[in-house]
Amino acid sequence: MKRINPQFSVRRLRSLGCGFKFVAYNLLFNTVNYRPWTVICGLCTLLLIGCDDYLEENPDNRVELNTLNKAAQLLTNAYSDGGYNFVEWMGDMVTFTRGTTKLDKHNQAYEWAIIDDFTQDTPTYYWNQTYQAIAHANEVLAIVDQLPGEEDRRRAVKGEALLIRAYGHFMLVNLFAKHYDEATAASDPGVPYVLQPEKNFIAQYERASVQEVYDQVEGDLLAGLELVNDSFYANSGKYHFTRNAALAFASRFYLFKRDYQSCINYSSQMLGANPSVFVKDIAAINDQTINVEDYIRQYTSPSDPSNLLLMRKITSFQVNVGYWPDNAIYSERLFGNNPFNAEDVRVESLFQWGENGLYTAKFELLFERSSLTANTGFNYTIVVPFRGEEVLLNRAESYALLGQLDEAVADLQTLLDKRYDVPVTVDLETIASFMGTNDARVALIVYLFEIERPKEFVHEGLRWFDIKRYSLPVTHTLQDGSTIALAEDDNRKVLQIPQAAQDVGGLSPNPR
């Protein structure tokens, strides 16, 4: 007998003719290894005792969305608390390290195997939590146009919901499908693009193509960008999609879509006339902080202009370290690697984990108890999904790809002015010589995605998307010194659709 979906809405119980207390809900949906006759007997008992007492009560325990304030409050739960940093263990900036914790899910990610765990820091957890967030956004979008209230407020709530829905689907399609390629996107399987609230007992979905997902994301993104209004976020603006955060999303979207002029346009809208405002002053943070925790708090502070969007993520990424850069990767690929004979100030945030692993301080270890008296709970942290530095580097890369090299160099200079301990001068000759080529355009493009982007976004997960965007091979060293490889067009670069989504949702798996 197929188990009932535990996320099925309580409101479906109304069709049974009376309102059941939560005991009925628990009996129906939360019983493990239940027997059918047990459920039937329990329901009969409930029908026979006290049913009439609840006929006048609303059996639905959810908040009724009848005001704009309630709709806005629901959107605070529409930001997925699943993290995708697990892709760091799959990338080319990690290696086998000694004396570090290695769980099965770490090993599976490192070896590009199917990750069968469904807890935090896994593809399945990210999938589930992101579609749950999308469901919250859809609940708001289904009713927001009929809610009473100020029109500007309605537009702002609707805009935020559209941006949340677009962002969730965008991240899912870039993890669980091939990277966008105009020549094949119409036939490449994507992910389901969910536009309506979930109302079915057990829903069946179809995978939209990558092109269809991108088209839907673009529609929601542009519509949300027109509606979003920062003035309604009192004291918590950075935890919502503000206009700057939406512009940063557009910058990433069009870079991934390879529409480089649009990437430049939206990036420029966000960066304005003084892009350096949106570049974090790492040297100042180093000077002002007294310990690692203080550094992280300043790094992720809502008051830092470079931090455009903050999200709370349930994750143990910052403590369950399995594979990290070692000293060789550190010196050859990361912070010891530059053409300026200068020291990278980002090195100050590195510390050793295990015998030879290096970790950069970006995520504060926070803990939430399951109750006031419990000693159990879960780890969480605050992440910055969009930063000004990404927008600047997106624009620089787009300029370089379109052959506007002087503009690309100017953007790179803006970033590096705050990344080295002495003033550095960025010029094409220096970059080309360092990269070992006479082609200045190629040298600049490769320098951006092979040198500066990996440094700037280490541990944040963006490197994995660069690996997919540029079809980069990856080699991992195992404990015995042998190596395994991920080819340029390897199917394993596409995360597998979670097993439950295949079995219950009817989704076709990705090829292996």
Side-chain angles (χ1 to χ4, degrees), residues 361-400:
K362 289 187 174 182
F363 309 108
E364 185 177 7
L365 175 59
L366 302 169
F367 185 78
E368 181 171 316
R369 297 178 186 273
S370 56
S371 71
L372 292 177
T373 58
N375 291 322
T376 59
F378 51 84
N379 296 319
Y380 73 97
T381 193
I382 303 300
V383 304
V384 187
F386 291 108
R387 293 199 279 124
E389 294 88 351
E390 181 194 351
V391 179
L392 189 66
L393 286 171
N394 290 348
R395 187 171 74 172
E397 184 179 336
S398 295
Y399 275 140

Side-chain angles (χ1 to χ4, degrees), residues 481-501:
S482 62
T483 60
I484 54 175
L486 196 67
E488 295 178 0
D489 57 352
D490 203 302
N491 284 333
R492 292 172 296 174
K493 287 184 177 179
V494 179
L495 297 180
Q496 186 56 275
I497 300 296
Q499 192 63 47

Side-chain angles (χ1 to χ4, degrees), residues 322-335:
Y323 299 88
W324 294 122
D326 62 6
N327 288 309
I329 293 178
Y330 155 72
S331 60
E332 296 173 9
R333 297 287 304 279
L334 288 175
F335 303 113

Side-chain angles (χ1 to χ4, degrees), residues 338-442:
N338 71 76
F340 308 113
N341 193 29
E343 182 174 323
D344 195 315
V345 297
R346 289 169 289 198
V347 74
E348 295 290 332
S349 66
L350 282 175
F351 61 93
Q352 184 167 322
W353 201 292
E355 297 177 31
N356 65 330
L358 293 169
Y359 180 76
T360 186
K362 289 187 174 182
F363 309 108
E364 185 177 7
L365 175 59
L366 302 169
F367 185 78
E368 181 171 316
R369 297 178 186 273
S370 56
S371 71
L372 292 177
T373 58
N375 291 322
T376 59
F378 51 84
N379 296 319
Y380 73 97
T381 193
I382 303 300
V383 304
V384 187
F386 291 108
R387 293 199 279 124
E389 294 88 351
E390 181 194 351
V391 179
L392 189 66
L393 286 171
N394 290 348
R395 187 171 74 172
E397 184 179 336
S398 295
Y399 275 140
L401 287 163
L402 293 180
Q404 301 176 46
L405 303 188
D406 290 341
E407 291 85 350
V409 166
D411 280 348
L412 184 57
Q413 182 72 64
T414 298
L415 176 72
L416 300 191
D417 282 344
K418 295 184 179 180
R419 291 297 177 266
Y420 292 97
D421 64 339
V422 296
V424 301
T425 300
V426 180
D427 60 76
L428 292 173
E429 292 76 13
T430 299
I431 299 297
S433 175
F434 181 71
M435 301 307 297
T437 177
N438 292 324
D439 190 325
R441 176 174 173 271
V442 170

Side-chain angles (χ1 to χ4, degrees), residues 81-86 89 105 119-122 125 311-320 359 363-367 378-383:
D81 63 15
Y84 58 87
N85 300 68
F86 55 80
W89 298 318
K105 58 187 174 184
T119 58
Q120 59 194 45
D121 301 315
T122 64
Y125 187 82
M311 285 188 190
R312 177 180 178 275
K313 298 290 185 181
I314 296 176
T315 176
S316 294
F317 179 82
Q318 65 275 49
V319 291
N320 283 339
Y359 180 76
F363 309 108
E364 185 177 7
L365 175 59
L366 302 169
F367 185 78
F378 51 84
N379 296 319
Y380 73 97
T381 193
I382 303 300
V383 304

Side-chain angles (χ1 to χ4, degrees), residues 3-9 25 29 198 200-203 504:
R3 184 173 180 182
I4 298 172
N5 183 354
Q7 295 182 355
F8 177 58
S9 173
Y25 175 75
F29 305 126
E198 177 56 62
N200 295 325
F201 199 55
I202 297 178
V504 180

Side-chain angles (χ1 to χ4, degrees), residues 187-237:
S187 57
D188 289 336
V191 297
Y193 204 98
V194 183
L195 295 169
Q196 301 296 330
E198 177 56 62
K199 297 179 180 180
N200 295 325
F201 199 55
I202 297 178
Q204 297 286 311
Y205 294 99
E206 294 183 1
R207 297 181 65 175
S209 69
V210 171
Q211 183 67 59
E212 289 170 331
V213 174
Y214 263 68
D215 289 345
Q216 292 274 17
V217 167
E218 186 171 23
D220 281 349
L221 168 59
L222 296 181
L225 191 53
E226 286 294 316
L227 298 172
V228 70
N229 189 331
D230 298 1
S231 64
F232 293 102
Y233 302 135
N235 303 320
S236 61

